Amino acid sequence: QKEVEQDPGPLSVPEGAIVSLNCTYSNSAFQYFMWYRQYSRKGPELLMYTYSSGNKEDGRFTAQVDKSSKYISLFIRDSQPSDSATYLCAMTLGTDSWGKLQFGAGTQVVVTP
Amino acid sequence: EADIYQTPRYLVIGTGKKITLECSQTMGHDKMYWYQQDPGMELHLIHYSYGVNSTEKGDLSSESTVSRIRTEHFPLTLESARPSHTSQYLCASSALSGRYNEQFFGPGTRLTVL
């Protein structure tokens, strides 16, 4: 069983729709949760990170963490064609792990005009 | 914008050749990482380094080797390439301290071994 499960998609939505992405994980010791965005032929770039449970908002993006359910989500409001990319969730135990991240497989998102 | 570079971006090579994938960063980061990424699969950590002269193997077994002689440079070498080494290789770096670990990624090297 993988430590982090993420639906690979593809997830196709019309422009302006809300995109909902999620990951589940098995290790309850994870403390930091990240979402990376990866455009085709590029490396991943950090979108947002959250510590422990709770919500975090940054512009059109909202990240949620529910540690009791071992479930994290990313919502993209008013989606744009430029949001078309693969979104990777990642998580880490914290500073003791020396920064070793556990990634999900990524969800491909396509926003159609 | 992150300043981490990888060369070559694309490499097609025959079986048995020795190859070195270059990675350099100008951010002064102590930690550096190599990941392997296959389509539809999660990134797998194959090597990491805490600093100069420090290298460790990651979670995914790899026949490649790395070195860290300078802070900014973290090359990956395959002594004898095989078709099973065909993959995308991503280099990343992060600062040594901090409560969370933002890793900055390079653009990747797409390796094809024939």
Side-chain angles (χ1 to χ4, degrees), chain A residues 13-36:
Chain A
V13 299
E15 183 175 357
I18 295 175
V19 177
S20 174
L21 305 167
N22 58 76
C23 290
T24 58
Y25 62 95
S26 56
N27 189 344
S28 58
F30 285 135
Q31 293 189 67
Y32 294 92
F33 304 88
M34 297 91 168
W35 286 95
Y36 280 82

Side-chain angles (χ1 to χ4, degrees), chain A residues 2 32 36 38 41-44 46 49 88 95 98-101 103-105, chain B residues 9-10 31 37 40-42 59 96 98-103 105-107 110:
Chain A
K2 294 181 181 180
Y32 294 92
Y36 280 82
Q38 185 174 21
R41 308 294 187 202
K42 302 281 189 182
L46 182 69
Y49 85 95
L88 307 161
T95 54
W98 287 98
K100 289 167 67 176
L101 296 177
F103 282 88
Chain B
R9 292 293 312 279
Y10 304 92
K31 295 182 191 173
Q37 185 180 33
M41 302 292 289
E42 59 266 38
D59 301 325
L96 185 62
R99 291 182 301 165
Y100 84 99
N101 185 53
E102 179 175 358
Q103 294 187 15
F105 284 83
R110 188 169 296 275

